[in-house]
Amino acid sequence: REEIKDAIASLAIRGDHETVQRLSNLMQRADAVEGARIAACATLPRVCERGHAVAVEALIANMTGPNTDSIRAASASAVSELASKGDRKAVAAALSGLRSTDWNLRLSSVMVLGSVCERGDRVAAAASLASTADADARVRSGAVWVLGAVASKGDGASVAKMLQVVQNDTDPDVRLSAVTALPSLTAPHLLGKLDVREISRVLVACSSDPDAGIRQAAEAAHTQLCSGPGRAASNILFPAEKGGGEAGPASPPKPPAVHCAMPSSQVTE
């Protein structure tokens, strides 16, 4: 199936109207093999630019139409790559997808919010915050990443949720996502708005986390929050761990991978 998508993408001229239209038509055909429809969804971002009106409109229709969850999830994943910033139709489709019983569709949908919404978007922040309590760890991990990307910097409720996840989530990948995303919501110049002692306590407590990646990320986040214009004040509130060296700045959080399932019994139309 990957070979098929590679072949289509290599033969098509990027932005070629006929190719985009054919793929858009195929992915919406109810009589087509499901695997072919999913492959068409996955191929579209490789043959057209972000904001392509025909492709995005077709993908959003697929997200909200009477399709299988696998097709809707593949469509949502493509929308994340193609919809323009601020596309409210994409946001509405994503909010609908978050109500699905399928974890992959919920994950794909929350990632749409992270892709098309700007920081400070209250709708996206509220939806992603709610999804941090999802029953599936993969969805929670994605929701934490999106919350770090769309919530307003210094938002107390979002920071509190991140700290709650770091302390209480049983999945190490979710905790790692929260630790890594936390610096994107905080900064030295915002320390006066936040409970910095609590942030410090939680990050320092991560030094005993059984996951080495979390321990390293927490040290990097601690260092990042203690740098910049507010370093002097921050060093008092975020004391360096005894005997520890300085960690480098935390890497920007990476979005979790979305799994676009392809039915094993179906290859192509």
Side-chain angles (χ1 to χ4, degrees), residues 69-81:
D69 287 333
S70 294
I71 291 174
R72 293 178 66 197
S75 301
S77 181
V79 168
S80 290
E81 297 186 63

Side-chain angles (χ1 to χ4, degrees), residues 199-211:
I199 297 173
S200 178
R201 184 191 68 78
V202 172
L203 288 175
V204 171
C206 286
S207 63
S208 61
D209 194 285
D211 189 280

Side-chain angles (χ1 to χ4, degrees), residues 153-235:
K153 282 185 175 291
D155 179 65
S158 298
V159 172
K161 173 56 69 174
M162 289 289 188
L163 297 177
Q164 179 185 346
V165 170
V166 171
Q167 296 175 94
N168 299 327
D169 201 288
T170 58
D171 189 277
D173 288 337
V174 181
R175 297 199 305 277
L176 178 59
S177 292
V179 170
T180 308
L182 185 59
S184 65
L185 291 177
T186 57
H189 72 280
L190 295 172
L191 293 181
K193 295 179 60 178
L194 303 171
D195 186 348
V196 291
R197 294 186 185 280
E198 177 65 5
I199 297 173
S200 178
R201 184 191 68 78
V202 172
L203 288 175
V204 171
C206 286
S207 63
S208 61
D209 194 285
D211 189 280
I214 293 174
R215 296 196 300 272
Q216 183 178 6
E219 183 179 2
H222 190 280
T223 299
Q224 186 170 337
L225 290 169
C226 293
S227 65
R231 186 182 185 100
S234 302
N235 284 341

